[in-house]
Amino acid sequence: LVVVAGCGSVASPTPATPAARPALPAGGYSSNVFRPQITFTLPDGWLIGDDGADYFGLLPVTSDAIGIHVFRSPRAASQDLDCPITPEQGVGTTAKDLVDWIRARPGLTVGDPLPVTLGGLGGFQIDVAIVAAWAPSCPFADGIPTVPLFVGATDGSFRWVIAGGERLRLNILDVPGSGTIVVDIDDFDGSLMDEFLPVATPSVESMRFGLS
C-alpha cells in the first residue's frame, strides 16, 4: 500500500472522484488486519477504505478528499527533493519526537500541541497545513506544493505527503513500549475541514485499541 496525500496512487496527490460504492450501516466496527485492532463507530454514509498492518482508512462514500487515516508507528519522511519512501535520519519515534520534527519543517504551519488522550493512549494533537509561499513539489505531484510527512516503518509500506491546500488534524499517540499510533482527520481540499471536523471527531473519539 502506498498512500499519497489521502489517495492510493503515486501518480498524483489529487484524489479522484470516487465511483459509486455502498456505505456501511451506522454502527460499531473493528479492523481485521491493522494491529493493534481498532474498534470504532461510524455514522451513516461511511466505508472502510483500507485495512492493512500499518495503515487503516475510513472514508465517507461521497468523497475521497476527506477521511480519517490511522498509521502504526510511522517514521518521519525524508525531506530529499526527490521524495523517496525512506525515513529521515536522526528523528526519534515517540509522539514528542514526531511533533517536534513536524513543527520544525519550514514548509508547514503547525498549531500549538495540545495534550490529548484517545482510546486510553496519551499524546499530542496538532493542526497542520502548508505555508502559503511554499513552492517545492515532489516529482509525482504535478507541481503542487508538497511536504513529505510520514513513511511506513517497514520497507516503505506507505507514504503520506501533505499537498496544496490540504489541512490535517493529527493525534499522535504513544503506545507504551511499542511505538506510536497516529490518527489523522484529513481534508485534502482544505475548504471542507471546518464542517468535516464535527462529523469525523465522534468516530475518532470512539476509537479503542486492542492492546491488552
Side-chain angles (χ1 to χ4, degrees):
L1 171 68
V2 178
V3 183
V4 182
C7 68
S9 168
V10 296
S12 168
T14 304
T17 300
R21 50 196 181 179
L24 295 170
Y29 295 92
S30 61
S31 63
N32 290 320
V33 180
F34 186 93
R35 291 295 181 268
Q37 186 178 56
I38 314 170
T39 60
F40 54 93
T41 59
L42 289 178
D44 285 323
W46 283 65
L47 57 78
I48 297 172
D50 288 280
D51 185 359
D54 54 6
Y55 168 72
F56 186 79
L58 299 170
L59 303 170
V61 295
T62 55
S63 176
D64 282 341
I66 49 179
I68 300 168
H69 310 277
V70 186
F71 308 96
R72 182 64 164 110
S73 296
R75 300 290 303 276
S78 169
Q79 299 298 289
D80 291 351
L81 293 178
D82 58 348
C83 301
I85 310 180
T86 55
E88 184 82 341
Q89 297 300 307
V91 181
T93 57
T94 69
K96 185 178 186 303
D97 292 334
L98 292 173
V99 168
D100 289 346
W101 177 80
I102 292 169
R103 296 185 74 200
R105 295 307 90 219
L108 298 179
T109 175
V110 183
D112 291 336
L114 300 176
V116 67
T117 300
L118 182 61
L121 301 179
F124 303 94
Q125 182 182 96
I126 52 174
D127 291 337
V128 184
I130 291 182
V131 298
W134 190 248
S137 178
C138 289
F140 51 79
D142 298 329
I144 298 171
T146 53
V147 177
L149 188 63
F150 296 132
V151 294
T154 306
D155 299 326
S157 53
F158 64 79
R159 162 169 53 193
W160 202 251
V161 177
I162 306 177
E166 187 175 5
R167 295 169 60 188
L168 297 76
R169 173 161 290 179
L170 299 177
N171 297 280
I172 304 179
L173 311 168
D174 284 309
V175 179
S178 186
T180 58
I181 291 174
V182 177
V183 182
D184 168 23
I185 301 176
D186 200 302
D187 168 25
F188 179 84
D189 179 85
S191 68
L192 306 173
M193 193 62 150
D194 291 340
E195 63 184 76
F196 182 53
L197 278 173
V199 176
T201 297
S203 290
V204 169
E205 292 180 343
S206 76
M207 288 182 172
R208 298 294 180 266
F209 306 102
L211 296 168
S212 59

